[in-house]
Amino acid sequence: MKRLAILGSTGSIGQSTLSIVEQFPERYQVVSLAAGRNLDEAFAQAVRWRPKLISLATEELAGELSAKLKQAGVTGIEVVYGTQGTVACSTLPEADFVVSAIVGVAGLEATHAAILAGKPVGLANKECMVAAGEILTRAARQRNVPILPIDSEHNAVHQCLRVGAHSEVKTIWLTASGGPFRQLPLDQFAAITPEQALKHPTWVMGRRITIDSATMLNKGLEVIEACRLFDVTAAQVRVMVHPQSTVHSLVEYVDGSILAQISVTDMRLPILYALAYPERPASTLTFDLAALSHLDFEPPDFERFPCLRLAFDAAEKGGAHCIALNAADEVAVEAFLDRRIPFTGIPRTIERVLASTPEAHPATIAEVLAADREARETARALLA
Ligand code: MG
């Protein structure tokens, strides 16, 4: 029996994780949940899963949840809040495995604390790896703690890497759907509206990640994530546009063999893989091979997607540049969704923030968070 701490339990990855727990009650049990701001969902999860510990974003929300649980006659669940609460969830002595699925750098401290506590982590939060990948992977190596990627591309790469040695890897190929503007003429990019950008062709996701898919900045973050997770250089990672999103990613070995991972477009599969690793439990997530009759691959157009070029540059420089890329993008995406800047203003903002970012390598989580705040302030000042 694996006892799980789920950080970001009310989000889409958190809910998918709970549906896996529901399907495999003989394998998994929930011991702590970090739920954020969705009080109703947190209450429903507390009642359904009876964790030892549940954390909410603020003291006020925690108080409301405690009152609701008491009213419902539910006892034995400790309610905590804030970053300390999330850390308490991720380091709970009873937890054997931590699913890190809080969006943004909010989950960073809890993820780091889980690794320091020696707990294997299933990582769905790519910002953690982008902003603090150097620190997290160093800590994980020192303590021999596995970090299992839940991001579909990295999960695919993890699977493909199991058949060869690290020294035999030539190139990691990350596939990208190309988003909704893969074929839009370049001169129309400035007029793209938030409504158009929020329509993703293959995946249903949160707002920021959907915009990041449209600019391909998301793929850029994944390039950085791949460098850190798999200990390869930016030159060893390449992106291939694959509109069907059927091949989740590939690994090319030095002998010329290329291995691909193919499966349904359903996040429950990478979650199950991470939870069960190194086992492979039987599941109902089957894939219809006939769907392979039509697979397209094309190299990405860096002129159309300047965010991708910026990300490769940041991946090479590492440290503060990766932090600034992520932070500046988040601020720029917000401004785009508020109609304060055009779609093409997103890469322009990031580029300007990166130009004023020093080449530095924060050594602690506190330094990472400080660099993150600084980059956000620079971006906001630029957009004001
Ligand atoms: Mg992905």
Side-chain angles (χ1 to χ4, degrees):
M1 178 69 73
K2 231 178 232 183
R3 293 167 302 177
L4 309 181
I6 304 174
L7 314 180
S9 63
T10 56
S12 100
I13 296 290
Q15 297 204 29
S16 295
T17 304
L18 289 169
S19 83
I20 296 284
V21 178
E22 197 139 56
Q23 271 175 46
F24 296 91
E26 71 292 355
R27 280 180 172 265
Y28 308 113
Q29 189 189 328
V30 176
V31 291
S32 64
L33 297 170
R37 294 182 182 280
N38 187 340
L39 183 65
D40 291 339
E41 186 61 32
F43 174 72
Q45 289 184 349
V47 171
R48 166 68 180 85
W49 297 102
R50 304 292 169 121
K52 230 177 114 62
L53 195 62
I54 185 163
S55 181
L56 288 161
T58 65
E59 185 173 7
E60 199 190 341
L61 286 166
E64 282 180 56
L65 181 62
S66 292
K68 280 185 82 161
L69 288 171
K70 199 171 166 195
Q71 210 176 21
V74 178
T75 54
I77 301 176
E78 192 185 343
V79 184
V80 291
Y81 61 89
T83 302
Q84 273 185 330
T86 318
V87 170
C89 285
S90 78
T91 56
L92 189 72
E94 289 87 344
D96 306 310
F97 190 96
V98 176
V99 175
S100 170
I102 294 175
V103 178
V105 291
L108 187 48
E109 291 184 61
T111 305
H112 187 230
I115 294 169
L116 293 182
K119 300 192 190 291
V121 171
L123 188 74
N125 171 326
K126 71 185 69 177
E127 292 94 343
C128 274
M129 223 4 106
V130 170
E134 293 160 34
I135 297 170
L136 296 178
T137 52
R138 198 183 312 127
R141 265 195 299 274
Q142 280 166 358
R143 284 165 185 74
N144 204 17
V145 170
I147 300 178
L148 294 148
I150 290 177
D151 206 348
S152 62
E153 293 79 359
H154 303 79
N155 187 270
V157 170
H158 191 276
Q159 299 197 38
C160 295
L161 284 174
R162 285 170 79 174
V163 297
H166 186 266
S167 60
E168 295 163 350
V169 173
K170 185 178 175 194
T171 304
I172 288 175
W173 290 95
L174 298 179
T175 52
S177 71
F181 309 126
R182 190 167 53 88
Q183 288 161 328
L184 188 78
L186 205 52
D187 60 1
Q188 290 176 30
F189 269 61
I192 290 170
T193 64
E195 290 72 25
Q196 291 170 313
L198 284 169
K199 277 195 199 116
H200 191 273
T202 44
W203 293 96
V204 179
M205 306 173 291
R207 280 160 69 88
R208 181 192 168 197
I209 190 171
T210 304
I211 301 300
D212 283 349
S213 297
T215 61
M216 286 193 81
L217 189 278
N218 178 57
K219 206 51 54 181
L221 297 178
E222 290 181 355
V223 168
I224 298 170
E225 194 184 358
C227 291
R228 303 298 170 258
L229 274 172
F230 307 120
D231 196 20
V232 294
T233 63
Q236 279 177 287
V237 181
R238 297 186 63 187
V239 172
M240 187 57 88
V241 173
H242 168 46
Q244 289 87 6
S245 298
T246 293
V247 176
H248 296 297
S249 275
L250 317 91
V251 172
E252 180 176 357
Y253 285 92
V254 287
D255 65 351
S257 289
I258 300 178
L259 276 91
Q261 190 265 344
I262 295 164
S263 59
V264 283
T265 309
D266 186 324
M267 289 309 290
R268 285 177 301 169
L269 191 52
I271 294 168
L272 178 61
Y273 175 88
L275 292 182
Y277 177 82
E279 290 175 54
R280 285 187 187 272
S283 91
T284 52
L285 298 163
T286 50
F287 177 78
D288 177 15
L289 265 182
L292 286 179
S293 62
H294 199 84
L295 292 184
D296 297 309
F297 294 94
E298 65 193 37
D301 179 349
F302 282 76
E303 206 184 328
R304 194 179 292 265
F305 301 109
C307 284
L308 201 49
R309 176 178 53 77
L310 294 170
F312 269 102
D313 289 346
E316 221 161 86
K317 293 198 173 98
H321 274 251
C322 296
I323 297 168
L325 178 89
N326 175 59
D329 173 67
E330 199 170 312
V331 174
V333 166
E334 246 168 64
F336 167 67
L337 288 173
D338 290 348
R339 297 169 210 277
R340 284 184 281 126
I341 58 170
F343 189 76
T344 44
I346 299 173
R348 264 203 304 275
T349 305
I350 299 170
E351 185 154 31
R352 290 173 66 193
V353 173
L354 286 174
S356 68
T357 300
E359 264 194 59
H361 292 266
T364 63
I365 298 297
E367 284 174 32
V368 167
L369 293 173
D372 178 80
R373 277 192 300 272
E374 201 175 310
R376 278 166 209 271
E377 275 162 30
T378 309
R380 286 202 190 97
L382 282 172
L383 295 175

